[in-house]
Amino acid sequence: MEVRSIVLGPDESYELRLTGRGARGYVWTWQVTGAADAVTVAEAPGSGAGAGAGGAAPLPGAPVERTYVVRARAPGGSRARIRFAQVRPPYPDEAPYDEFVLDVEVAAVTGGS
């Protein structure tokens, strides 16, 4: 499991790319803990619909990259942890195939002109 830490300003976003295995029945899910209202998470429009090498469509069963957009929300000074887990929904008791943790600190806005 990989763990990454980032710092975002209010309304700043971060794109996270994770390899998907949808052809094998796996999907990425996420859960936000800590200051859960400090961030939003959404799959980027068109994520996973890209072409493969050389502009060709990806081969059946090939891994497809998924892009998730994490956006910091005001106020600053908050911390959230986002745990992404790659699971197969029909098998809820099965351990995740892969996991990724993103620790997000929303920086406080400092005064200045």
Side-chain angles (χ1 to χ4, degrees), residues 8-108:
L8 298 174
D11 281 334
E12 190 176 359
S13 63
Y14 176 80
E15 284 193 359
L16 175 65
R17 291 176 179 82
L18 299 172
T19 302
R21 290 174 178 78
R24 296 183 188 157
Y26 288 94
V27 297
W28 282 104
T29 61
W30 62 86
Q31 179 180 18
V32 182
T33 57
D37 60 345
V39 297
T40 60
V41 182
E43 188 167 0
S47 178
L59 296 173
V64 177
E65 192 172 79
R66 299 285 180 189
T67 303
Y68 298 91
V69 178
V70 176
R71 182 170 299 280
R73 299 173 59 181
S78 302
R79 293 180 183 268
R81 172 170 270 202
I82 307 165
R83 178 184 169 267
F84 290 87
Q86 197 170 43
V87 298
R88 293 192 299 176
Y91 306 99
D93 295 331
E94 187 177 81
Y97 179 83
D98 197 5
E99 294 179 281
F100 185 93
V101 173
L102 185 65
D103 287 324
V104 182
E105 177 183 348
V106 180

